[in-house]
Amino acid sequence: MVITPRLKNQHLLWRAAFGPMAENAASLDTMPHRKLWAQLLDTSSISPQKIDVASNLYDGMIKGAQDFDGMKDLTKEQKQAIRHQSEEDLKNLNLKWLSEMINSEQQFREKMSLFWHGHFACRIINIYFQQQLLDIIRANALTDFGSLLRNVSKSAAMLQFLNNQQNKKQHPNENFAREVMELFTMGRGNYTEDDVKEAARSFTGWGFDPQGGFVFRDKQHDDGTKTFLGKSGNFNGDDIIDILLEQQQTANFITKKIYRFFVNDEPDNERINELAQKFYHSNYDITKLMEAIFTSDWFYDEKNIGTQIKSPVVFLAGLRRFMPLQLNDDAAQLLVQRLLGQVLFYPPNVAGWPGGKKLD
């Protein structure tokens, strides 16, 4: 294989973005790939505009939730109507975000957001909370992993999805604490069941109000001493996140997952270890990690080009970018997602979409 400038640029655009557009395809023959990367970085440096599909009529209301006093006064028909409206709005949120992936100049930001959308998989009907979570992910996609993790962990969507609203002193719910370690930070096998129990105690009292704002309910918090990953203290949820970020294993886990998503499904452990060390010592700077990948010579090795199986959403967005066409019904794209096995905001489980050869 002869690795031409065009091939390098196409490779970069499919990994750091959603592929080339028809109108700029000719420039790929002559543009240096580092200049193209600089353009992707520059266009994604602006804070993204929030995608808002929830109507004013429903803003601040809980949709699909049953644990607030405000829902108790509604009739069965009213609750069903709210749930139906929320489901319809979720479809609209899906299409609007997909449109950003196709048309936005912030290609790198949207591609990173899609990665984090799978990493922080969340499946709830509440459109208002899902919209907030997407806003958090897109706003923090290129910052540092610590800020992203903390903001996602305090989102109403994630707290509801992983049942931390029910995590109370003397009656701890371990779901949230377990997934923060297993899926979001260190990965399975790097903590004990006692660590899960102690972390769950630390996260007691973390909840949200009907508007989706984070709430710490101190009367529900277990303020006793906990021992977590070898450290002891009167820990709260923020302390647990701090300790998790102190672990080199967190950088290793995140870097390996990023490598498999953006570089090659077959991990190169030597490369990953080098990247993880830099990631850890940069205070988890996401953009610096991605720059180290996309500006390296090895990223453009033959073994990394043309080897990735595109996910349905990446395939659909890339097809729409390269073959611009008007659809009679944008909602047909929802059917395509469903038939191919990847519907935005509907991950198959808490681990998200596996990707590669096995999508479900």
Side-chain angles (χ1 to χ4, degrees):
M1 178 189 295
V2 179
I3 310 224
T4 63
R6 167 176 281 276
L7 193 59
K8 286 185 177 181
N9 287 327
Q10 287 178 337
H11 178 56
L12 176 61
L13 285 173
W14 275 113
R15 301 301 174 85
F18 292 93
M21 297 191 79
E23 55 262 37
N24 60 20
S27 66
L28 301 182
D29 287 321
T30 56
M31 180 178 290
H33 64 275
R34 285 179 178 262
K35 182 178 180 181
L36 179 58
W37 162 246
Q39 287 184 1
L40 288 169
L41 201 57
D42 182 60
T43 54
S44 293
S45 62
I46 304 169
S47 296
Q49 187 173 357
K50 180 179 178 180
I51 302 174
D52 187 0
V53 301
S55 66
N56 292 331
L57 177 63
Y58 289 96
D59 277 1
M61 295 185 68
I62 296 305
K63 303 168 184 179
Q66 304 297 325
D67 52 349
F68 288 98
D69 291 340
M71 293 293 289
K72 294 178 181 178
D73 297 329
L74 298 178
T75 66
K76 180 181 178 180
E77 290 72 20
Q78 287 173 320
K79 290 178 181 179
Q80 288 177 340
I82 290 174
R83 182 181 179 87
H84 176 73
Q85 182 63 50
S86 194
E87 291 173 342
E88 290 302 308
D89 285 344
L90 267 177
K91 294 176 183 178
N92 292 333
L93 185 64
N94 180 319
L95 294 173
K96 284 186 178 293
W97 188 24
L98 181 61
S99 178
E100 289 296 313
M101 296 179 198
I102 297 166
N103 300 305
S104 172
E105 290 188 354
Q106 297 193 12
Q107 284 285 291
F108 174 49
R109 180 180 294 279
E110 300 302 344
K111 188 63 174 288
M112 283 301 310
S113 297
L114 179 62
F115 168 77
W116 294 123
H117 177 64
H119 181 73
F120 295 110
C122 180
R123 182 170 179 170
I124 60 171
I125 297 299
N126 188 320
I127 174 60
Y128 195 71
F129 291 177
Q130 282 280 27
Q131 189 172 276
Q132 286 180 327
L133 178 57
L134 178 60
D135 185 44
I136 289 170
I137 287 174
R138 292 175 70 237
N140 291 274
L142 307 180
T143 58
D144 67 275
F145 178 70
S147 296
L148 175 61
L149 172 65
R150 204 176 302 273
N151 283 311
V152 168
S153 297
K154 291 184 175 181
S155 70
M158 195 60 70
L159 290 170
Q160 178 178 320
F161 183 54
L162 298 179
N163 309 115
N164 209 75
Q165 190 83 336
Q166 291 79 45
N167 187 15
K168 302 174 183 178
K169 181 170 60 175
Q170 298 180 343
H171 299 283
N173 185 302
E174 298 176 2
N175 286 3
F176 181 80
R178 184 181 301 278
E179 305 308 351
V180 166
M181 287 183 280
E182 179 178 330
L183 299 177
F184 299 168
T185 55
M186 298 194 301
R188 186 178 299 176
N190 295 291
Y191 53 87
T192 67
E193 285 301 306
D194 285 339
D195 289 324
V196 174
K197 295 180 187 299
E198 297 293 86
R201 292 177 58 210
S202 303
F203 283 114
T204 53
W206 275 34
F208 51 91
D209 61 27
Q211 288 72 41
F214 175 75
V215 174
F216 177 68
R217 298 183 172 92
D218 57 343
K219 292 183 179 179
Q220 296 178 3
H221 177 65
D222 183 339
D223 59 2
T225 299
K226 300 100 177 171
T227 300
F228 177 70
L229 293 178
K231 292 192 172 187
S232 297
N234 179 14
F235 298 142
N236 58 29
D238 282 307
D239 297 322
I240 297 300
I241 289 175
D242 287 340
I243 294 171
L244 288 169
L245 291 170
E246 290 171 3
Q247 311 304 308
Q248 174 71 46
Q249 175 56 27
T250 295
N252 296 344
F253 180 76
I254 299 301
T255 304
K256 184 175 182 179
K257 196 167 182 180
I258 282 176
Y259 184 95
R260 295 188 66 183
F261 186 93
F262 289 95
V263 183
N264 198 312
D265 196 47
E266 294 295 326
D268 183 325
N269 290 327
E270 183 177 349
R271 298 281 189 211
I272 291 169
N273 289 338
E274 291 175 1
L275 291 167
Q277 286 285 341
K278 293 178 181 178
F279 189 40
Y280 181 77
H281 292 293
S282 72
N283 197 27
Y284 293 93
D285 189 307
I286 297 167
T287 298
K288 285 184 178 179
L289 172 61
M290 304 313 297
E291 184 157 41
I293 292 172
F294 294 136
T295 60
S296 69
D297 291 335
W298 53 259
F299 175 71
Y300 301 92
D301 285 348
E302 182 176 346
K303 68 177 184 178
N304 294 324
I305 296 178
T307 59
Q308 188 180 71
I309 298 175
K310 297 176 180 63
S311 73
V313 169
V314 172
F315 174 76
L316 179 58
L319 185 65
R320 292 284 316 275
R321 281 177 63 77
F322 195 70
M323 299 179 63
L325 48 87
Q326 294 294 323
L327 299 178
N328 291 330
D329 183 6
D330 283 340
Q333 296 171 112
L334 299 172
L335 177 61
V336 173
Q337 290 178 40
R338 187 161 62 249
L339 291 174
L340 294 181
Q342 186 183 28
V343 181
L344 296 172
F345 306 106
Y346 284 91
N349 51 55
V350 292
W353 298 274
K357 295 181 180 179
K358 186 177 180 182
L359 191 61
D360 51 26

